[in-house]
Amino acid sequence: FEYGKNTRFNGNITLSGLPNIYETFMHLSIRELKTSIADIRTIKLPGGKLIPLLPTYNKIGSIGIKGFFTGFYNDFVSYADYKTDAGYFSTDLAVHKSKSPVYISYKGKLKGRNVDVGNLFMIKDYIGKLNMDLQVEGKGIDLKNLDAHFVGSLDSLDFKGNKIDNITLSGAVKQKAFTGIAKIRDALVNLDFDGKFDLNKKLPIFNFTAWLHDVKLSKLKLISRDTSATLTAHMNLNFEGTNLDNLLGKLEFDSTLYSEKGKILPIKSLVLETHEISMGDKQVLLRSDYLDGDISGMYSFSHFYNSLNLILNKYLPSLRFWNAVDPTDQFPQNFFYYLTFKNPDPVMAIFAPE
């Protein structure tokens, strides 16, 4: 049969229990089903309601299905393959739709190939497509009510244009928060992660322990240095924020080795801690093998260059080393600081060799 503009069905349907749809047992053997999100939005459920779909689902686009569905309309088993504009999926899932509260729960196996996660969740500047093989159990099919546990692997993940292989995962996702364990064994990065990150609030929250082994920082496009730049480190991070201006918490690094162009910079310990001390004021404490520092007051690292530039242009205009800046793009820098350089030569040998 055909429905709407894009829906075509070829297969066998067995129904038992009509006309009461709530007690009707169904068996669908689908040789080919083609449809689209636009057509699905027009389908009416028992009671006359339309299927509720968020705008995000528009990115799924056209859908092709082959496989079997057995059970009731709100409680069934899916053993099928899906081809969509957002990727290819295979399921061996038991699916249930509850009445109150209304949510969809599921349990079973989920595989995906070329899943365009970056486009689906609008993070394509960082993440692209992935291949996955997961055992899942949970409820919710969108980030607003997602609550699921999973274990499995990502055969590949596109990260900033690089393909990362051999990722294993075990944990839980609740809305935009992940708690669990992750391991990566790839030519560009070796990582052991244990902890959580939460993206549900305005500022993301991170609390985890991680081992990094021979991470190719430049090749991963994490820094703009020579392609030989490599980092090995153990870290304990517990903070919220996205940059140095809004970061609050503690970052601890030990057993660290940074190498570049054959030169090695060992760091036994580096601790960076930031916290609020009064209305609008913060304090930054840095302790490391090569540099100790304290900054207290009102500051903005992202505006520091502009602020310094404006001062030098005003009081030393003859230098002409500084570009003109917008005087309105300023921040009221008012802070106290002290810095103690303890052994700068190994640092300068790599970052300022001349």
PDB file of all heavy atoms in Angstrom, residues 217-218 221-227 229 258 260:
ATOM      1  N   LEU A 217      48.647  15.967  19.663  1.00  0.00           N
ATOM      2  CA  LEU A 217      47.826  17.158  19.882  1.00  0.00           C
ATOM      3  C   LEU A 217      47.578  17.951  18.602  1.00  0.00           C
ATOM      4  O   LEU A 217      46.450  18.379  18.339  1.00  0.00           O
ATOM      5  CB  LEU A 217      48.481  18.051  20.932  1.00  0.00           C
ATOM      6  CG  LEU A 217      48.660  17.431  22.325  1.00  0.00           C
ATOM      7  CD1 LEU A 217      49.424  18.387  23.231  1.00  0.00           C
ATOM      8  CD2 LEU A 217      47.306  17.105  22.936  1.00  0.00           C
ATOM      9  N   SER A 218      48.613  18.187  17.818  1.00  0.00           N
ATOM     10  CA  SER A 218      48.450  18.993  16.602  1.00  0.00           C
ATOM     11  C   SER A 218      47.679  18.246  15.531  1.00  0.00           C
ATOM     12  O   SER A 218      46.824  18.820  14.846  1.00  0.00           O
ATOM     13  CB  SER A 218      49.817  19.417  16.061  1.00  0.00           C
ATOM     14  OG  SER A 218      50.436  20.332  16.937  1.00  0.00           O
ATOM     15  N   LYS A 221      44.222  18.495  15.955  1.00  0.00           N
ATOM     16  CA  LYS A 221      43.778  19.884  15.824  1.00  0.00           C
ATOM     17  C   LYS A 221      43.330  20.466  17.167  1.00  0.00           C
ATOM     18  O   LYS A 221      42.405  21.274  17.241  1.00  0.00           O
ATOM     19  CB  LYS A 221      42.655  19.998  14.788  1.00  0.00           C
ATOM     20  CG  LYS A 221      43.059  19.511  13.401  1.00  0.00           C
ATOM     21  CD  LYS A 221      41.926  19.600  12.406  1.00  0.00           C
ATOM     22  CE  LYS A 221      42.357  19.041  11.053  1.00  0.00           C
ATOM     23  NZ  LYS A 221      41.234  19.059  10.070  1.00  0.00           N
ATOM     24  N   LEU A 222      44.011  20.042  18.246  1.00  0.00           N
ATOM     25  CA  LEU A 222      43.744  20.580  19.576  1.00  0.00           C
ATOM     26  C   LEU A 222      44.628  21.784  19.873  1.00  0.00           C
ATOM     27  O   LEU A 222      44.263  22.634  20.686  1.00  0.00           O
ATOM     28  CB  LEU A 222      43.954  19.493  20.636  1.00  0.00           C
ATOM     29  CG  LEU A 222      43.019  18.289  20.542  1.00  0.00           C
ATOM     30  CD1 LEU A 222      43.401  17.229  21.571  1.00  0.00           C
ATOM     31  CD2 LEU A 222      41.568  18.717  20.744  1.00  0.00           C
ATOM     32  N   ILE A 223      45.810  21.853  19.256  1.00  0.00           N
ATOM     33  CA  ILE A 223      46.699  23.004  19.383  1.00  0.00           C
ATOM     34  C   ILE A 223      47.316  23.293  18.024  1.00  0.00           C
ATOM     35  O   ILE A 223      47.316  22.435  17.133  1.00  0.00           O
ATOM     36  CB  ILE A 223      47.818  22.780  20.429  1.00  0.00           C
ATOM     37  CG1 ILE A 223      48.716  21.612  20.003  1.00  0.00           C
ATOM     38  CG2 ILE A 223      47.231  22.529  21.811  1.00  0.00           C
ATOM     39  CD1 ILE A 223      49.944  21.447  20.869  1.00  0.00           C
ATOM     40  N   SER A 224      47.856  24.501  17.875  1.00  0.00           N
ATOM     41  CA  SER A 224      48.531  24.879  16.628  1.00  0.00           C
ATOM     42  C   SER A 224      50.038  24.883  16.882  1.00  0.00           C
ATOM     43  O   SER A 224      50.658  25.914  17.127  1.00  0.00           O
ATOM     44  CB  SER A 224      48.051  26.260  16.160  1.00  0.00           C
ATOM     45  OG  SER A 224      46.682  26.250  15.863  1.00  0.00           O
ATOM     46  N   ARG A 225      50.624  23.701  16.861  1.00  0.00           N
ATOM     47  CA  ARG A 225      52.061  23.535  17.046  1.00  0.00           C
ATOM     48  C   ARG A 225      52.578  22.586  15.967  1.00  0.00           C
ATOM     49  O   ARG A 225      51.842  22.178  15.060  1.00  0.00           O
ATOM     50  CB  ARG A 225      52.371  22.964  18.438  1.00  0.00           C
ATOM     51  CG  ARG A 225      51.906  23.814  19.611  1.00  0.00           C
ATOM     52  CD  ARG A 225      52.753  25.052  19.790  1.00  0.00           C
ATOM     53  NE  ARG A 225      54.171  24.735  20.017  1.00  0.00           N
ATOM     54  CZ  ARG A 225      55.110  25.662  20.147  1.00  0.00           C
ATOM     55  NH1 ARG A 225      54.807  26.951  20.046  1.00  0.00           N
ATOM     56  NH2 ARG A 225      56.369  25.308  20.340  1.00  0.00           N
ATOM     57  N   ASP A 226      53.852  22.234  16.059  1.00  0.00           N
ATOM     58  CA  ASP A 226      54.427  21.279  15.126  1.00  0.00           C
ATOM     59  C   ASP A 226      53.681  19.951  15.213  1.00  0.00           C
ATOM     60  O   ASP A 226      53.185  19.567  16.288  1.00  0.00           O
ATOM     61  CB  ASP A 226      55.910  21.079  15.456  1.00  0.00           C
ATOM     62  CG  ASP A 226      56.613  20.225  14.424  1.00  0.00           C
ATOM     63  OD1 ASP A 226      56.943  20.755  13.348  1.00  0.00           O
ATOM     64  OD2 ASP A 226      56.804  19.019  14.697  1.00  0.00           O
ATOM     65  N   THR A 227      53.607  19.236  14.110  1.00  0.00           N
ATOM     66  CA  THR A 227      52.845  17.979  14.086  1.00  0.00           C
ATOM     67  C   THR A 227      53.447  16.902  14.985  1.00  0.00           C
ATOM     68  O   THR A 227      52.796  15.891  15.242  1.00  0.00           O
ATOM     69  CB  THR A 227      52.750  17.433  12.651  1.00  0.00           C
ATOM     70  OG1 THR A 227      54.077  17.284  12.109  1.00  0.00           O
ATOM     71  CG2 THR A 227      51.951  18.389  11.771  1.00  0.00           C
ATOM     72  N   ALA A 229      54.048  17.373  18.108  1.00  0.00           N
ATOM     73  CA  ALA A 229      53.621  17.663  19.487  1.00  0.00           C
ATOM     74  C   ALA A 229      52.816  16.494  20.053  1.00  0.00           C
ATOM     75  O   ALA A 229      51.789  16.104  19.490  1.00  0.00           O
ATOM     76  CB  ALA A 229      52.797  18.933  19.520  1.00  0.00           C
ATOM     77  N   TYR A 258      55.526  16.273  27.756  1.00  0.00           N
ATOM     78  CA  TYR A 258      55.195  16.946  26.505  1.00  0.00           C
ATOM     79  C   TYR A 258      56.438  16.897  25.618  1.00  0.00           C
ATOM     80  O   TYR A 258      57.541  17.255  26.057  1.00  0.00           O
ATOM     81  CB  TYR A 258      54.788  18.398  26.743  1.00  0.00           C
ATOM     82  CG  TYR A 258      54.501  19.152  25.462  1.00  0.00           C
ATOM     83  CD1 TYR A 258      53.249  19.105  24.869  1.00  0.00           C
ATOM     84  CD2 TYR A 258      55.507  19.895  24.833  1.00  0.00           C
ATOM     85  CE1 TYR A 258      52.989  19.789  23.687  1.00  0.00           C
ATOM     86  CE2 TYR A 258      55.254  20.575  23.647  1.00  0.00           C
ATOM     87  CZ  TYR A 258      53.998  20.518  23.075  1.00  0.00           C
ATOM     88  OH  TYR A 258      53.747  21.193  21.904  1.00  0.00           O
ATOM     89  N   GLU A 260      58.133  17.663  21.589  1.00  0.00           N
ATOM     90  CA  GLU A 260      57.979  18.367  20.316  1.00  0.00           C
ATOM     91  C   GLU A 260      59.346  18.500  19.647  1.00  0.00           C
ATOM     92  O   GLU A 260      60.312  18.946  20.286  1.00  0.00           O
ATOM     93  CB  GLU A 260      57.360  19.751  20.545  1.00  0.00           C
ATOM     94  CG  GLU A 260      57.087  20.535  19.273  1.00  0.00           C
ATOM     95  CD  GLU A 260      56.443  21.885  19.539  1.00  0.00           C
ATOM     96  OE1 GLU A 260      55.565  21.964  20.430  1.00  0.00           O
ATOM     97  OE2 GLU A 260      56.823  22.857  18.869  1.00  0.00           O
TER      98      GLU A 260
END
